Amino acid sequence: MLWPMNSLVWVELDAEAPDHNLRQLKAGAGGRVPICAVVKANAYGHGVDPMVHLMPSADWFAVNSLEEGLRLRALRVRKPILLLGHVPLGSLHEAIRADLALTLYNRESLQALSRLELPPGAARIHLKVDTGAGRQGIRPEEIEDFVLELRRIPGAFLEGVSSHFANIEDTLAHEYAEEQLERFNRALETLAEMDSTPPIVHTASTAAGILFPETHFSLIRAGIGLYGLWPSRETYLSTLLSGRHPPNLKPVLSWKTRLVQIKTLAEGSYVGYGCTYKTTRPTRVGVLPVGYSDGYDRALGNTAYVLVHGRRAPVIGRICMNLCMIDITDIPQARLEDEVVLLGASGTERITAETLAGWAGTINYEIVSRISPLLERRVVTPRPPGL
Ligand SMILES: *Cc1c(COP(=O)(O)O)cnc(C)c1O
């Protein structure tokens, strides 16, 4: 198991935000569609152990791997759990024993299932159809053969059918998503003609869930929105342009550390590996015990800011494995071991995952999901205003 490696860098989780976000997404979808909380990748870097307990309104959970699914069961999650990724053929029985629903798209998986001696209907199967994302999923023309083969396995039960959209997050023009939805609806017709329509039909992730009710069917697989983050600027704009009321999403995560050294360097001094930064004035340098091994991207060197006493301090020099440096010349009240915010709010200032993503040349998903699982997660209850 993992253990906290360094008490000087930690992640704070707002205890109330996850379920608030989940209820916002659910209400936005009319309140009647169940929500499957996607907690893959250590709950998008937030920490899966605390996060599953902070979303009591979740109807389902989804993870990528078998091991993540087993972890949820070990955490006493009794709700339905969907595995989105491939389960090794030799481990299918383990997934079924833990009552994990399988996303299935390989003929070999069906054959492996048929060789297991399963009680009737023990394996909950969600057939995934590739309607144009070009990753996991069977092609629509393969559906009939898959279903026929599935029917020959008494231990297997076709519980769901799903698909995933390729580019809803990337654009204000959604013709391609509409095309994918049409293909999916034709796949549903095929299933209906075979009298094999499964009880659970799902295609929407956060963006589709917010924007397109016609993608909701019987379950929304929401990830990023639960963490209080928008899938993209385009999704937010599309929501406004469509005249919809945007859900009020509250970021769940803050990422913090402490100053571990403060010193003044003379004008003309170098800071960090490669001597990429040279001071242009006598500079009060703060050393932070956080680096790229913690998930603080190396691209943030000489680019990002952090917050100290509610003010921005620039990151100077390269990001090291366990360290980075900041310029606190203009924050004279900063003292050794004072708190520093890498992501989150301090006073009236805030650094969002989107801001960090912009600086690092990536997306908010990557910024949060790469925060090291070795860092401690602290669940904090927000103080009511005025206290
Ligand atoms: C990660 C994932 C989701 C969640 O997507 P968000 O954009 O984070 O809401 C939904 N479905 C599948 C198949 C996924 O892999």
Side-chain angles (χ1 to χ4, degrees):
M1 255 332 288
L2 303 174
W3 62 97
M5 295 297 283
N6 180 353
S7 64
L8 292 167
V9 189
W10 70 98
V11 166
E12 288 181 6
L13 304 174
D14 179 326
E16 286 158 18
D19 211 58
H20 161 88
N21 295 329
L22 196 147
R23 285 182 271 113
Q24 282 284 308
L25 294 175
K26 200 175 224 179
R32 33 163 209 94
V33 187
I35 302 282
C36 176
V38 181
V39 293
K40 65 192 180 198
N42 197 27
Y44 289 44
H46 287 61
V48 73
D49 295 23
M51 281 300 294
V52 291
H53 298 297
L54 296 177
M55 294 187 283
S57 306
D59 301 285
W60 276 68
F61 287 98
V63 289
N64 177 50
S65 69
L66 168 62
E67 289 70 21
E68 291 175 306
L70 296 175
R71 177 73 193 147
L72 291 202
R73 288 293 184 229
L75 291 168
R76 297 179 194 285
V77 171
R78 309 222 190 282
K79 288 177 180 168
I81 297 173
L82 174 65
L83 304 184
L84 300 168
H86 177 76
V87 175
L89 304 178
S91 305
L92 284 165
H93 63 284
E94 266 190 83
I96 295 159
R97 198 182 322 129
D99 197 21
L100 305 171
L102 306 167
T103 301
L104 205 131
Y105 42 83
N106 284 314
R107 183 65 42 85
E108 292 86 340
S109 305
L110 278 179
Q111 289 157 357
L113 280 177
S114 72
R115 288 191 294 268
L116 299 176
E117 279 174 29
L118 298 171
R124 306 161 67 154
I125 305 299
H126 291 231
L127 198 55
K128 181 141 195 174
V129 185
D130 177 5
T131 54
R135 51 176 221 190
Q136 305 136 303
I138 60 171
R139 286 169 294 125
E141 56 270 29
E142 295 175 284
I143 290 175
E144 209 174 319
D145 286 349
F146 254 82
V147 171
L148 291 175
E149 195 161 342
L150 193 69
R151 279 185 188 160
R152 286 196 288 269
I153 308 171
F157 162 53
L158 184 63
E159 181 179 60
V161 58
S162 68
S163 194
H164 195 58
F165 292 102
N167 73 339
I168 292 187
E169 297 83 358
D170 293 276
T171 173
L172 304 184
H174 293 113
E175 306 86 15
Y176 192 64
E178 280 160 27
E179 208 175 306
Q180 283 194 267
L181 183 61
E182 272 169 37
R183 288 182 200 150
F184 186 71
N185 279 323
R186 280 200 294 276
L188 288 181
E189 277 166 31
T190 307
L191 289 170
E193 281 158 17
M194 299 181 76
D195 224 2
S196 281
T197 304
I200 305 174
V201 177
H202 49 107
T203 64
S205 55
T206 301
I210 292 172
L211 285 169
F212 300 114
E214 59 273 38
T215 65
H216 293 172
F217 298 101
S218 40
L219 190 67
I220 296 174
R221 303 184 308 260
I224 197 84
L226 300 175
Y227 307 99
L229 305 176
W230 277 80
S232 63
R233 204 187 303 240
E234 287 79 1
T235 307
Y236 188 72
L237 275 174
S238 296
T239 309
L240 296 182
L241 288 171
S242 71
R244 278 172 217 291
H245 187 61
N248 167 22
L249 300 178
K250 291 189 191 161
V252 171
L253 174 152
S254 306
W255 189 6
K256 299 184 176 177
T257 185
R258 293 187 189 283
L259 283 161
V260 295
Q261 191 184 2
I262 297 173
K263 67 182 155 208
T264 300
L265 296 182
E267 181 183 336
S269 307
Y270 292 114
V271 175
Y273 283 130
C275 301
T276 63
Y277 187 85
K278 192 175 193 181
T279 58
T280 55
R281 57 177 178 174
T283 299
R284 201 161 170 251
V285 174
V287 179
L288 303 180
V290 61
Y292 57 78
S293 71
D294 300 291
Y296 200 69
D297 201 298
R298 196 161 171 279
L300 295 168
N302 286 314
T303 300
Y305 291 82
V306 300
L307 303 178
V308 184
H309 290 280
R311 303 194 47 194
R312 285 189 179 207
V315 173
I316 55 176
R318 284 195 188 146
I319 309 292
C320 316
M321 189 180 288
N322 289 126
L323 293 167
C324 64
M325 281 65 76
I326 60 174
D327 180 349
I328 49 170
T329 313
D330 299 324
I331 312 171
Q333 68 272 42
R335 294 283 173 270
L336 188 71
E337 298 194 352
D338 278 357
E339 190 173 290
V340 175
V341 174
L342 306 169
L343 195 180
S346 171
T348 55
E349 270 281 13
R350 175 179 284 280
I351 292 173
T352 64
E354 291 72 32
T355 309
L356 274 179
W359 288 331
T362 181
I363 55 174
N364 53 6
Y365 290 78
E366 187 177 353
I367 290 291
V368 291
S369 67
R370 292 184 69 189
I371 297 176
S372 170
L374 299 179
L375 301 176
E376 187 188 345
R377 269 66 179 169
R378 298 181 190 164
V379 178
V380 297
T381 307
R383 270 179 297 176
L387 287 180

